[in-house]
């Protein structure tokens, strides 16, 4: 049994498109349930989704869960995962963003890979833009070295810290990856049995990184499966896009800090924070001297410093 989990928050039309892309895939696979979580959108999402499920005849495999409060990404997924794991027949759970469209064969290839590789705990799809251009979806765990490399953006630093860069080149064949994007991530039941559910203290962002980190420590490797292709309309479900100059929300800083403190401890977190702060300051000074216009979110350096070194950071507790 495969259980697919989609969490909707104010994007019912995107969620319906995602369900529509799943329909031909479900016809090719026995025993598939799709859990659609309506995460207290405060709009007509519940009615729209209920109507579309009935109108398109998706009742045989689609189940709508309505939350009475916004649980965030991790909490919304956990709501459905708990229901799925109540059934002993559930073997795999596929987390799928509502702002995704599954390419033909996307589900089948992911299931085929997990069946042929029982030692793999987590699998992630190749994510694409609508035009087919690849997105980064296979990553390395962040460290203070990757924080410095990412923030300073200097070729010499990137060459020195090449093996710690969080976004390595995306290969064309399936390969081990330390973590994969939660926009399309399939998880073996035994991983949940070993490490528990997603940490719902993350409201949004870093939750799949944290989950893959915990799974790796428990001996469950994560793999990138590019044969499974999924279009990801980046940021449409969260409202956080790559639009230049848009300010980072507070929950992004909170999620980052939680991951480092929880998994690396306070000393390593402080080193990583300092590495990013110094690196970004060097980058911005260099950009100013070269006359380059800033592309980064507004107040990025100040917000980072204020959150991690100010009262919020000092009082932050897991």
């Amino acid at each position: 049994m495969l259980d697919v989990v989609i969490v909707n928050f104010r994007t019912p039309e995107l969620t319906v498109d995602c369900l529509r892309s799943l329909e031909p895939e479900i016809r090719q696979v026995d025993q598939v349930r799709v859990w659609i979580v309506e995460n207290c959108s405060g709009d007509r999402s519940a009615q729209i989704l209920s109507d579309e499920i009935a109108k398109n005849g998706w009742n045989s495999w689609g189940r709508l869960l309505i939350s009475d409060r916004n649980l965030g990404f991790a909490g919304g997924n956990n709501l459905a995962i708990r229901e799925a794991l109540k059934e002993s027949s559930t073997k795999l759970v596929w987390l799928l963003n509502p702002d995704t469209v599954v390419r033909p064969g996307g589900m089948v290839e992911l299931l085929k890979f997990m069946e042929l590789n029982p030692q793999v705990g987590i699998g992630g799809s190749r994510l694409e833009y609508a035009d087919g251009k690849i997105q980064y979806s296979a990553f390395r765990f962040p460290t203070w070295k990757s924080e410095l490399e990412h923030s300073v953006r200097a070729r010499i630093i990137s060459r020195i810290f090449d093996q710690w860069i969080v976004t390595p080149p995306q290969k064309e064949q399936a390969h081990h990856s330390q973590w994969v994007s939660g926009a399309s991530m399939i998880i073996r039941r035994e991983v949940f049995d070993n490490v528990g559910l997603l940490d719902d203290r993350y409201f949004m962002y870093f939750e799949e990184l944290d989950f893959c980190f915990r799974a790796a420590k428990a001996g469950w490797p994560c793999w990138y499966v590019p044969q499974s292709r999924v279009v990801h309309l980046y940021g449409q479900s969260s409202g956080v896009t790559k639009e230049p100059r848009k300010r980072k929300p507070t929950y992004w800083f909170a999620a980052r800090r939680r991951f480092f403190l929880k998994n690396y401890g306070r000393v390593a977190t402080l080193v990583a924070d300092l590495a990013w702060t110094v690196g970004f300051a060097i980058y911005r000074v260099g950009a100013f001297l070269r006359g380059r216009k800033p592309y980064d979110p507004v107040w990025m350096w100040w917000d980072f410093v204020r959150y991690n070194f100010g009262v919020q950071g000092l009082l932050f507790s897991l």
Side-chain angles (χ1 to χ4, degrees):
M1 173 66 75
L2 169 67
D3 284 270
V4 185
V5 178
I6 304 169
V7 178
N8 172 82
F9 183 71
R10 298 180 181 175
T11 56
E13 292 81 9
L14 291 176
T15 301
V16 170
D17 288 342
C18 179
L19 292 170
R20 191 167 285 116
S21 73
L22 280 171
E23 186 175 14
E25 298 292 299
I26 291 171
R27 295 197 195 104
Q28 302 179 57
V29 179
D30 292 331
Q31 293 186 305
V32 178
R33 279 188 301 247
V34 181
W35 302 85
I36 306 100
V37 178
E38 206 310 279
N39 208 9
C40 198
S41 297
D43 58 10
R44 296 187 62 253
S45 286
Q47 187 63 54
I48 292 171
L49 292 171
S50 178
D51 291 346
E52 288 291 335
I53 290 170
K55 182 177 72 174
N56 291 286
W58 297 336
N59 307 77
S60 61
W61 47 263
R63 302 186 181 184
L64 180 62
L65 297 177
I66 301 176
S67 175
D68 59 2
R69 61 190 178 93
N70 182 0
L71 300 171
F73 180 80
N77 275 287
N78 284 342
L79 184 66
I81 294 169
R82 288 190 187 94
E83 293 299 316
L85 295 181
K86 288 178 182 178
E87 303 288 341
S88 59
S89 58
T90 295
K91 302 301 180 186
L92 293 161
V93 176
W94 185 16
L95 308 185
L96 198 60
N97 267 24
D99 58 351
T100 58
V101 175
V102 180
R103 298 281 197 194
M107 175 191 286
V108 174
E109 290 296 333
L110 207 51
L111 288 173
K112 185 188 302 181
F113 176 85
M114 296 300 284
E115 183 178 359
L116 293 174
N117 298 275
Q119 79 285 357
V120 174
I122 301 170
S125 302
R126 166 191 161 118
L127 299 181
E128 304 174 343
Y129 295 99
D131 61 3
K133 185 179 179 182
I134 193 169
Q135 293 179 17
Y136 281 109
S137 53
F139 309 96
R140 298 184 181 122
F141 294 135
T143 64
W144 73 266
K145 295 175 182 177
S146 66
E147 292 293 276
L148 177 62
E149 186 278 331
H150 176 71
S151 62
V152 76
R153 307 176 206 183
R155 290 181 182 178
I156 186 171
I157 299 297
S158 296
R159 285 197 294 268
I160 293 171
F161 293 153
D162 178 69
Q163 61 182 309
W164 290 282
I165 294 175
V166 169
T167 52
Q170 308 291 280
K171 299 177 182 178
E172 293 297 323
Q173 67 275 12
H175 63 86
H176 175 257
S177 175
Q178 292 184 333
W179 66 283
V180 293
S181 170
S184 176
M185 182 171 76
I186 195 167
I187 305 164
R188 204 174 294 280
R189 182 194 184 100
E190 289 83 354
V191 180
F192 292 116
D193 294 338
N194 286 175
V195 306
L197 305 183
L198 299 175
D199 183 348
D200 55 19
R201 291 173 296 178
Y202 294 94
F203 181 76
M204 188 176 292
Y205 292 100
F206 289 82
E207 61 281 297
E208 75 265 55
L209 164 57
D210 177 83
F211 187 82
C212 291
F213 191 92
R214 288 155 50 205
K217 287 177 66 177
W220 287 104
C222 176
W223 275 61
Y224 171 63
V225 188
Q227 292 76 22
S228 170
R229 299 171 58 201
V230 173
V231 174
H232 182 211
L233 306 173
Y234 186 90
Q236 296 299 306
S237 63
S238 65
V240 179
T241 68
K242 291 185 176 180
E243 176 187 342
R245 309 293 288 157
K246 188 172 183 178
R247 196 169 188 173
K248 284 278 190 185
T250 300
Y251 56 75
W252 185 91
F253 296 99
R256 177 195 171 278
R257 186 162 183 81
R258 181 177 298 283
F259 172 79
F260 274 92
L261 281 172
K262 176 183 176 181
N263 296 294
Y264 294 137
R266 295 189 179 278
V267 173
T269 299
L270 176 61
V271 173
D273 290 346
L274 289 171
W276 189 95
T277 303
V278 173
F280 194 78
I282 293 172
Y283 160 72
R284 287 302 298 269
V285 169
F288 175 78
L289 294 176
R290 291 191 294 271
R292 294 182 179 177
K293 293 182 179 180
Y295 181 86
D296 306 281
V298 293
W299 299 104
M300 184 63 185
W301 187 88
W302 170 246
D303 285 344
F304 185 94
V305 170
R306 183 179 61 174
Y307 194 91
N308 291 287
F309 298 103
V311 174
Q312 282 181 299
L314 293 175
L315 295 179
F316 189 95
S317 59
L318 292 174

